[in-house]
Amino acid sequence: MDEIDLHLGRKLRRRRKLLGLTQQELAGACGVRFQQIQKYECAANRMSAARLWQLSEVLDAPVSYFYEGLSAEQRRAHEEADEALDLFAREETHELVRAYYALGERPRRRLLELAKAMNGEAKA
């Protein structure tokens, strides 16, 4: 479980309770089942940017409310993780992985060493 997801879930629960809403009421306002709100609050499920925006409107709080209290380092780590996920979502990455694993073991090792050398990570 990601520390930021836990933080967002706690902020969601705190705001919902402050407004006196049940999970069922909040879920109804967002068009989801109450179990989904439960999962957001305990960080079992991540909130998408669109869902966070929707929740901020329903709870009458700016999106920034959910991030208040996070350190700059935590925010930076989360942004870096998102960038890495974007990289793995590219079709080019999938093609490269498929081509890599279509090779035999020896050519795969040689290709990996070549890539490391080109990136300045050659064996000492």
Side-chain angles (χ1 to χ4, degrees):
M1 227 173 285
D2 186 89
E3 190 176 324
I4 293 177
D5 294 325
L6 287 168
H7 179 84
L8 293 174
R10 284 192 297 267
K11 295 290 279 191
L12 174 61
R13 180 181 294 118
R14 187 175 304 135
R15 183 70 181 172
R16 176 181 61 78
K17 288 185 173 191
L18 179 69
L19 296 176
L21 296 172
T22 65
Q23 289 176 336
Q24 184 70 45
E25 291 168 331
L26 179 57
C30 293
V32 298
R33 295 177 186 248
F34 82 92
Q35 291 93 336
Q36 187 63 36
I37 300 300
Q38 282 179 326
K39 290 177 181 183
Y40 290 148
E41 289 184 355
C42 71
N45 285 4
R46 284 189 160 173
M47 290 180 255
S48 68
R51 180 70 68 209
L52 194 56
W53 182 271
Q54 183 183 37
L55 287 165
S56 74
E57 288 187 336
V58 170
L59 297 172
D60 194 30
V63 172
S64 61
Y65 160 80
F66 294 97
Y67 292 94
E68 290 171 358
L70 285 175
S71 72
E73 186 176 316
Q74 289 169 315
R75 286 193 299 266
R76 192 169 34 261
H78 192 62
E79 289 166 2
E80 289 171 3
D82 285 348
E83 288 173 14
L85 288 175
D86 288 344
L87 178 69
F88 287 107
R90 293 182 186 170
E91 181 58 30
E92 176 185 31
T93 304
H94 292 268
E95 290 175 23
L96 181 61
V97 169
R98 283 191 292 272
Y100 177 81
Y101 282 105
L103 297 171
E105 183 181 342
R106 187 164 184 233
R108 271 199 322 263
R109 278 191 309 221
R110 293 179 67 202
L111 181 59
L112 179 60
E113 291 304 317
L114 173 64
K116 287 180 177 180
M118 292 175 71
N119 198 32
E121 299 177 18
K123 289 183 192 175

